[in-house]
Amino acid sequence: MTRSLFTPFTLRETEFRNRVMLSPMCQYSATDGMATDWHQVHLGTRAAGGAGVVMTEATAVEPRGRITPNCLGIWSDDHAEALESTVEFVASQGATPGIQLAHAGRKASHRPPHEGGDPIPADDPDGWETVSSTDRPYPVGEDASVDPAATRRLDGEGIDEVIEAFVDAAARSRDIGFEVAEVHAAHGYLLHQFLSPVTNDRDDEYGGSFENRTRLLREVVAAVREVWPDGKPVFVRISATDWLPDRDSWDVDDSVRLAPLLAEAGADLIDVSGGGTHPDQQIPSAGPGYQVPYAEAIREGTDVPVAAVGGITEPTHADALVRNERADLVALGRELLRRPYWPLEAAHELGADVEWPVQYRRGQFD
């Protein structure tokens, strides 16, 4: 059978009903990290809408790992319990529930975008001290009304605590039924901060050489893999490039080199995005599929399965990415915000026979 957007895809012993993935997108709707009704409706709607993999937003593994005070977390059993009914509903609709395990590092302690996105000082009741590979805070823009929170360089004990936080969060996610664990190492957040020479100015075993800068991510992936069921996959989201061509930075060649090391550590798929390290980044024209070449380069250079993301909106385009073996999964973000039932519409346009929820079959296309 020719591969297409609506052919199943299997990793380990987990079968995804199709190749469409809801890309992780922050909702800024949690209370002290706790999931709310919004998360169940948001994620559940995309599952009922036909997505193959429904991935949570960046879910912090510890309180200081949140991007904003309103971000989702899973650093306690209570946080896991708050997500459990959402996981059950997503699975009941035939989708594969996934969780993105995240730590914002020095990009933590910010206001949500709809409140201006400014950094929150550590002495503000809503703020906290951030941690990173460096003691340099994330740069603020000229329009920022406040200075960033203080940033503390993680020492060896702090690094061990971060790894343990990822492990504990993965174990909680496993116990409430998530089928995919995705380690977030993109967009300038903590694990990306260790990868990139732009943000990693260390001279210990976690800094300097490529091997050292990638060490923490490899250790986190291996540690998560240890507690994740053998039959279920681990994803890793990376920024394939910092989009900083005029300085020593992380680039696509680094990502191609990293991918097999992540596979060796236990990753089953690389979810390929870009940027986020520094506000001076030079983002290319964001046309349809503008980041697909990064995923394709990793897939061709390493033979590791990949998810492609970035400006993918048309069913024929998404289908061609899979059919032409440029990507194994197609991650949609903004388009699934606009059109939560996009997979059902896409299947009709492509002539694929897919199952509709019984409650919606009266609206099924003729």
Side-chain angles (χ1 to χ4, degrees), residues 79 149 361:
H79 288 88
R361 286 180 185 168

Side-chain angles (χ1 to χ4, degrees), residues 55 77 144 174 222 245 269 316 348:
M55 189 71 68
D77 292 344
R174 173 201 66 204
L269 179 140
T316 52
H348 173 68

Side-chain angles (χ1 to χ4, degrees), residues 228-303:
W228 202 246
D230 288 342
K232 298 178 181 180
V234 171
F235 293 3
V236 181
R237 172 162 270 202
I238 65 169
S239 284
T241 171
D242 287 337
W243 285 326
L244 294 166
D246 299 328
R247 65 180 74 181
D248 185 19
S249 62
W250 186 264
D251 61 21
V252 177
D253 289 341
D254 292 321
S255 295
V256 172
R257 185 179 173 189
L258 173 65
L261 301 179
L262 295 179
E264 183 179 339
D268 301 289
L269 179 140
I270 311 298
D271 182 5
V272 187
S273 189
T277 299
H278 195 280
D280 290 345
Q281 64 185 6
Q282 300 174 34
I283 303 175
S285 176
Y290 70 105
Q291 298 189 84
V292 169
Y294 308 145
E296 188 175 20
I298 290 170
R299 194 178 189 279
E300 289 182 348
T302 65
D303 200 31

Side-chain angles (χ1 to χ4, degrees), residues 177-205:
F178 278 108
E179 298 286 322
V180 176
E182 177 168 275
V183 175
H184 194 0
H187 302 158
Y189 298 123
L190 181 63
L191 297 179
H192 187 184
Q193 290 159 26
F194 274 82
L195 291 177
S196 175
V198 173
T199 45
N200 189 333
D201 54 10
R202 307 173 72 93
D203 58 6
D204 62 3
E205 62 181 332

